[in-house]
Amino acid sequence: MPRAFVVVAFLSLLSTPVRSSAASPKSAAVDVRATAARFLGGALAERRGHAVVTSLTDSAGPRLAGSRGDERAVAWAVEAMRAAGLENVHTEPVTVPRWVRGVERAEVVAPVDIALHVTALGGSVATSPDGIVAEVVEVASLDELKAQAAKDPARFRGKIVLYNKSMLRTHNFEGYGTAVDVRKGGAVEAARAGAVASLIRSIGTGYHRLPHTGAMRYEAGVPQIPAGALAAEDAELVHRLLARGGAVKVRLVLTPSLAADKAASANVVGELRGREHPEEIVVIGAHLDSWDLATGALDDGAGCAIVLETARLVRTLAGARPRRTIRVVLFANEEFGLSGAFAYAEAHKAELARHVAALEADAGAGRPLGVGVAAGADAVPRLRALVDGLGTVLPGEIHATDEAAADVMPLHAAGVPVFGVEQDVSTYFDWHHTAGDTVDKIDPEELARATAAFATLTFVLADAPTTMPRATPHPLPWRPGK
Ligand SMILES: [Zn+2]
């Protein structure tokens, strides 16, 4: 019984005795600097985050929304929260779309025969079982496609578009943010120009011939064409063949399907109740789902480990419960439409005014580099004052940002102040959304440092004498329509 074994081993790992009393008088002053040092010491000494990711990924497997793995992950998370000593552990229902990857194959058929490494983008429609054979037309961006189509309306008609846009390696999300538009919107623009399929160079930085999947979208009124990603090396091959002149033809077979009925999944929720203001909530989240190509250790097993370990570190090493409640939420289906994020915001609408902060860990397992703050005026200087002297645990700059992590976007839109530990993602996108996103890619020490930073930020926000200024409520740029 491998799964039972893994879960039992994991439970015994987490069930250490509480070192300090959980209850403490209201007047107790907490030495934040000493607390942060204990978090870092505890995280580094035990490096349990790595064991948590291993347990999740080995016992649940890939966790695409609505899959068996997703179901196993929900059961795992309930047990993990109980083992971490959380209270009010429960699931909240979320309905999710169920997309199933089929056969995926691509090959250059002219001027030479060479197999390509391809994967369907999440949400893509299928080709016929025999596939599409068509000439490839390469562009470097959405804008280039639009400009060329305006000049020559026949250019893309009946063709396979290849967006060959390479992603820059950066320590933050800038490289990804700049490149990812072709994954999301490439098929719509290609279809508008008359193309029969859309391929992208994988959005990633790895050279290991693994294609990167990820969500794509269709638009009402625009034909739905199949959409896939080639490994970077294969996009470069097609580019070189095109540069020689003459037609390059590709056969593309993708047979994914979207189930007619939605599936059942769940957000998994647990709490550490606050000692003074239990009704005020600091949400710390990560997403439990992953893409189907691998076990999603970096995305987002690492985030699940960071928030579960944060709860355990606060419970066992803080010396006192924080003033406010820390609520851990492992969100359903982030990858394919943010179903869990929207379901949480809807189910907790009435108490969002009492959500005083929200944080999500969804940036892999790299070391901490800084803190991003998406909140009201003065939040940055106020947080700086609170974490003064904590630089060895919570390093780097604290700065304002407009961006909230995906699962806390709906909370941010409702005015909840959002905070994030920014992590080094310079190697994250080598493996993100590929078959290589497995636990061996995680450095246990870097994950421990990220966890200690996250725990410190969480503790500071949950225990501060006053709450942070709220963000300005705003509409969300989009809502899941599937
Ligand atoms: Zn993620």
Side-chain angles (χ1 to χ4, degrees):
M1 308 286 268
R3 179 172 165 246
F5 170 75
V6 173
V7 171
V8 168
F10 174 67
L11 295 185
S12 60
L13 195 72
L14 285 186
S15 305
T16 46
V18 179
R19 199 170 113 176
S20 338
S21 166
S24 81
K26 280 190 175 191
S27 56
V30 176
D31 180 345
V32 180
R33 216 179 287 198
T35 303
R38 280 202 300 278
F39 289 166
L40 182 59
L44 281 175
E46 304 184 42
R47 298 181 180 190
R48 289 186 187 203
H50 194 264
V52 174
V53 183
T54 305
S55 172
L56 168 62
T57 56
D58 287 357
S59 46
R63 306 177 294 285
L64 188 59
S67 67
R68 291 287 308 281
D70 185 25
E71 208 178 304
R72 287 192 293 266
V74 168
W76 176 92
V78 167
E79 290 308 309
M81 284 191 185
R82 288 188 181 136
L86 292 175
E87 300 141 320
N88 302 336
V89 175
H90 64 279
T91 59
E92 300 182 357
V94 179
T95 47
V96 296
R98 173 91 179 105
W99 179 80
V100 181
R101 187 178 300 282
V103 174
E104 34 197 32
R105 208 168 63 235
E107 57 200 321
V108 174
V109 294
V112 55
D113 300 316
I114 302 179
L116 304 170
H117 287 223
V118 71
T119 195
L121 295 181
S124 173
V125 295
T127 64
S128 71
D130 296 335
I132 293 168
V133 179
E135 258 184 60
V136 177
V137 181
E138 179 189 3
V139 291
S141 66
L142 294 174
D143 283 346
E144 188 185 330
L145 176 128
K146 287 183 213 165
Q148 288 189 11
K151 225 184 277 172
D152 176 5
R155 180 162 170 75
F156 300 98
R157 216 164 284 154
K159 308 284 170 52
I160 296 174
V161 168
L162 170 62
Y163 293 95
N164 192 3
K165 183 179 188 183
S166 58
M167 175 182 154
L168 208 62
R169 184 185 296 278
T170 54
H171 67 274
N172 56 22
F173 274 70
E174 212 179 305
Y176 183 67
T178 307
V180 76
D181 62 344
V182 294
R183 191 192 77 206
K184 292 177 177 164
V188 165
E189 292 308 327
R192 278 201 178 109
V196 292
S198 172
L199 290 173
I200 59 170
R201 176 195 178 108
S202 282
I203 307 304
T205 47
Y207 272 84
H208 35 43
R209 223 178 164 199
L210 295 177
H212 298 238
T213 191
M216 54 83 59
R217 293 180 200 142
Y218 292 118
E219 246 177 63
V222 181
Q224 300 190 347
I225 60 171
L230 295 179
E233 295 89 333
D234 290 331
E236 289 180 7
L237 166 69
V238 174
H239 171 83
R240 288 192 303 275
L241 294 175
L242 285 165
R244 293 185 347 191
V248 175
K249 283 192 181 173
V250 162
R251 181 195 312 276
L252 177 67
V253 183
L254 300 173
T255 64
S257 59
L258 187 65
D261 295 327
K262 294 215 174 183
S265 184
N267 290 331
V268 185
V269 182
E271 294 180 333
L272 273 183
R273 299 289 289 171
R275 73 175 192 273
E276 258 183 50
H277 301 294
E279 75 288 357
E280 292 183 352
I281 295 153
V282 173
V283 162
I284 60 171
H287 65 86
L288 194 53
D289 65 308
S290 75
W291 280 106
D292 55 336
L293 295 176
T295 52
L298 291 164
D299 187 11
D300 186 24
C304 295
I306 287 171
V307 298
L308 288 168
E309 275 295 278
T310 285
R312 193 186 63 83
L313 290 170
V314 170
R315 187 179 68 85
T316 59
L317 297 179
R321 276 175 186 253
R323 288 187 166 88
R324 302 178 190 83
T325 293
I326 294 172
R327 181 179 290 168
V328 180
V329 184
L330 296 182
F331 290 97
N333 190 33
E334 184 269 349
E335 297 290 5
F336 193 46
L338 293 183
S339 316
F342 286 106
Y344 179 88
E346 184 62 30
H348 296 271
K349 208 161 38 183
E351 59 170 13
L352 290 189
R354 289 185 280 109
H355 279 54
V356 300
L359 299 79
E360 182 172 35
D362 184 18
R367 68 199 166 95
L369 295 180
V371 175
V373 177
D378 293 341
V380 168
R382 283 175 56 185
L383 183 62
R384 280 195 187 127
L386 286 172
V387 302
D388 186 38
L390 303 183
T392 52
V393 184
L394 199 56
E397 257 298 284
I398 294 171
H399 63 91
T401 171
D402 298 333
E403 310 257 312
D407 286 311
V408 293
M409 264 170 39
L411 302 182
H412 186 233
V416 178
V418 166
F419 302 83
V421 171
E422 294 172 336
Q423 294 171 249
D424 183 351
V425 293
S426 53
T427 61
Y428 176 61
F429 292 102
D430 290 353
W431 307 110
H432 179 254
H433 296 184
T434 72
D437 182 2
T438 48
V439 72
D440 47 281
K441 308 306 183 305
I442 292 178
D443 176 334
E445 181 181 331
E446 290 204 354
L447 177 59
R449 290 186 184 279
T451 303
F454 196 95
T456 298
L457 182 60
T458 300
F459 179 79
V460 163
L461 291 165
D463 201 53
T466 56
T467 57
M468 286 287 169
R470 296 186 75 75
T472 310
H474 55 273
L476 281 162
W478 61 278
R479 283 203 151 244
K482 291 197 182 100

